[in-house]
Amino acid sequence: TIHYKARDGLDIAAVLTLPRGKPARNLPLILFPHGGPAARDYEHWDWIAQFLADRGYAVIQPNYRGSTGYGHAFEKKGEGQWGRAMQDDLNDAVDWMVKQGMADPKRVCIVGASYGGYAAMRAAQRDGSRFRCAVSYAGVSDLNAMMQYDAGFLNHLGRKDWLKKQAPNFKAVSPIHFPEQF
């Protein structure tokens, strides 16, 4: 686990997996945000991170604001920050890796599932010049459509208020509304 500072000074922990037997210099980088976002990454066996590191990639898994396990105040910092400051925290992880000399800024890919998949699509849409590729699996591209489709699954709209707190303006942070930016 490493720590870096987000642009607003918030301390962010991240799990870093490096290729075995290679110097940690100028490596291609996979930014791998977890799902949830009320979840977190730990130092434990992660077959995807290990597979990618075995292929020569550095893999960083930031526990961005809103992640669990760092106290209520840290989790609350993610409120209203889907696609915004949470996204900045991910970019700041890349910047930290580049500043340390570990990552090649021209060979960065973001990969994620669920909320991490949303973050990958948002990165490609909002910050596309930073990434050589983006892979989203089970990611949401349209928060409003997700809310309409999942209303029953999300406790008969009981979680709608919760999601509105996370992303007060669904359209502004839904990548589907900005195809020209990809």
Side-chain angles (χ1 to χ4, degrees):
T1 297
I2 58 93
H3 289 262
Y4 64 92
K5 293 288 183 195
R7 61 193 66 190
D8 64 359
L10 185 64
D11 183 65
I12 306 287
V15 177
L16 176 61
T17 306
L18 296 169
R20 189 171 155 183
K22 275 184 116 171
R25 305 295 306 157
N26 210 34
L27 295 167
L29 175 65
I30 304 293
L31 174 60
F32 192 24
H34 60 73
R40 69 178 280 194
D41 282 308
Y42 298 87
E43 285 186 35
H44 70 278
W45 174 256
D46 184 317
W47 73 268
I48 297 173
Q50 292 296 322
F51 174 82
L52 293 166
D54 183 65
R55 299 317 187 259
Y57 295 93
V59 180
I60 191 161
Q61 298 170 273
N63 287 311
Y64 46 83
R65 69 190 70 221
S67 298
T68 57
Y70 298 96
H72 181 70
F74 187 84
E75 192 172 346
K76 197 140 176 67
K77 286 186 183 299
E79 202 167 273
Q81 298 305 315
W82 281 36
R84 298 182 189 281
M86 291 163 73
Q87 209 70 31
D88 294 340
D89 294 347
L90 299 175
N91 288 344
D92 294 342
V94 172
D95 292 344
W96 184 86
M97 290 290 294
V98 169
K99 186 176 179 185
Q100 302 305 309
M102 288 191 259
D104 177 351
K106 293 183 172 122
R107 297 186 296 161
V108 179
C109 185
I110 182 169
V111 177
S114 189
Y115 178 85
Y118 161 77
M121 279 190 280
R122 179 72 167 146
Q125 173 254 309
R126 189 188 95 154
D127 306 305
S129 64
R130 298 177 63 94
F131 299 96
R132 182 132 182 217
C133 66
V135 179
S136 170
Y137 51 102
V140 174
S141 63
D142 185 343
L143 295 176
N144 193 52
M146 177 189 77
M147 185 53 61
Q148 290 173 4
Y149 180 80
D150 287 350
F153 174 73
L154 293 175
N155 197 18
H156 299 285
L157 299 177
R159 286 182 39 113
K160 184 175 185 177
D161 292 339
W162 174 85
L163 188 56
K164 269 298 200 190
K165 282 183 180 178
Q166 310 316 307
N169 182 342
F170 288 170
K171 186 173 183 179
V173 295
S174 290
I176 198 167
H177 297 294
F178 307 98
E180 71 284 353
Q181 292 178 5
F182 280 82

